[in-house]
Amino acid sequence: MSDADVELPESIELAWGLRERPGKGPRRSLTMEQVVAAGIRVAEGDGLPAVSMSRVAGELGVATMSLYRYVSAKSDLLELMADTAYGDPPAPRGPDEGWRPALARWALANVTAIHRHPWIRQVPVSGPPMGPNGVRWMEAGLAALRGTALRGTERLSAILLVSGYARYWATLTADMTEAAAREQLSPEDVGMRYWQQLARLTRHGPYPAIRELLAEGAEGGDDEEFEAEWRFGLDRILDGVETLIRSRAAAD
């Protein structure tokens, strides 16, 4: 099958620079980059729910229908906005860097990208990456595992697992930060209040495991504890990947 036989959404062709001008119809007055940048401005200023085709068209000073020459639906626009906002992937794995620190660095870069643009976490994931940046991030993640004994599909599954954890963690911490800001409290204060409330609710009744946890001094919310929680979860995932790598190497 030749490249010409592989169908791509028009918005993806435009984002990759594979389609510079329309075959029919009036000349385009905008670029895909301008349309996506306008959508990002709205999301950054007023949140993702404020993004609509009419609002973005208003930002650009054009008729709403003209945007459909670049994206066929709002969902396409949101995906391209998220792809652009993610930006460049982290530096590739160095010649003396092991796969594990490289993949951990890639995971943290995912969290940082979402924290930089928190609205990204509200964009539904409709499928594998197709935008230019998303594909470059996938390449960087796969490259971190190059040279291990993992098969290609296993490398892909590993980075999907790691990126899923990173997205979960970025969403959790961003949600908690926003909730604390609404109450005009620090995340540390919110965490402390939760443990105090939980202690009161479970003082009596069938909650021996929770009371045992509280008795050990569970409290929370500061940056060091958040970092420790992030590392604990990531390390357990990487432990599993390492076990699989060793088993594949032993089988070979």
Side-chain angles (χ1 to χ4, degrees):
M1 179 181 291
S2 68
D3 285 351
D5 296 324
V6 178
E7 264 191 60
L8 291 170
E10 184 176 358
S11 58
I12 293 298
E13 289 187 330
L14 287 167
W16 280 83
L18 300 178
R19 180 184 296 208
E20 295 297 334
R21 56 181 66 87
K24 296 180 180 180
R27 185 179 182 85
R28 296 179 192 271
S29 60
L30 300 169
T31 65
M32 174 62 77
E33 290 79 7
Q34 289 173 316
V35 173
V36 172
I40 291 175
R41 286 197 300 273
V42 174
E44 298 282 357
D46 298 320
L48 193 67
V51 177
S52 66
M53 298 296 271
S54 59
R55 175 70 186 276
V56 173
E59 286 281 317
L60 295 166
V62 299
T64 301
M65 290 304 297
S66 66
L67 294 190
Y68 289 97
R69 306 206 63 213
Y70 302 87
V71 289
S72 60
K74 175 184 169 181
S75 58
D76 293 342
L77 174 59
L78 296 181
E79 289 179 6
L80 291 171
M81 286 166 51
D83 183 78
T84 299
Y86 250 94
D88 295 331
R93 176 181 167 186
D96 298 322
E97 186 179 23
W99 70 265
R100 185 163 178 148
L103 195 56
R105 186 165 51 79
W106 183 83
L108 183 59
N110 271 270
V111 175
T112 301
I114 297 176
H115 281 173
R116 189 166 57 241
H117 303 285
W119 53 267
I120 289 177
R121 70 192 194 278
Q122 299 171 336
V123 177
V125 179
S126 61
M130 290 186 66
N133 285 338
V135 171
R136 290 171 61 223
W137 276 81
M138 182 169 69
E139 168 67 21
L142 291 170
L145 289 165
R146 186 180 294 130
T148 65
L150 296 183
R151 304 184 183 98
T153 54
E154 292 171 336
R155 293 196 295 272
L156 178 60
S157 294
I159 67 168
L160 287 174
L161 180 61
V162 171
S163 65
Y165 173 64
R167 186 180 179 95
Y168 153 77
W169 185 257
T171 298
L172 174 66
T173 49
D175 285 348
M176 292 177 66
T177 298
E178 290 179 4
R182 284 194 298 270
E183 297 189 54
Q184 298 183 326
L185 295 171
S186 69
E188 293 84 355
D189 290 337
V190 171
M192 182 63 69
R193 184 181 63 181
Y194 168 74
W195 292 112
Q196 292 170 346
Q197 291 171 333
L198 186 64
R200 180 180 177 185
L201 292 170
T202 60
R203 187 167 293 121
H204 306 290
Y207 306 103
I210 292 177
R211 288 197 294 271
E212 182 180 357
L213 173 67
L214 293 168
E216 290 177 1
E219 55 186 27
D222 64 28
D223 290 342
E224 289 185 4
E225 286 169 345
F226 277 127
E227 173 66 18
E229 289 293 339
W230 157 255
R231 287 300 316 187
F232 179 85
L234 180 61
D235 283 345
R236 299 297 73 75
I237 292 172
L238 297 182
D239 286 347
V241 175
E242 186 166 355
T243 298
L244 179 60
I245 289 173
R246 288 177 177 173
S247 69
R248 287 282 179 261
D252 293 342

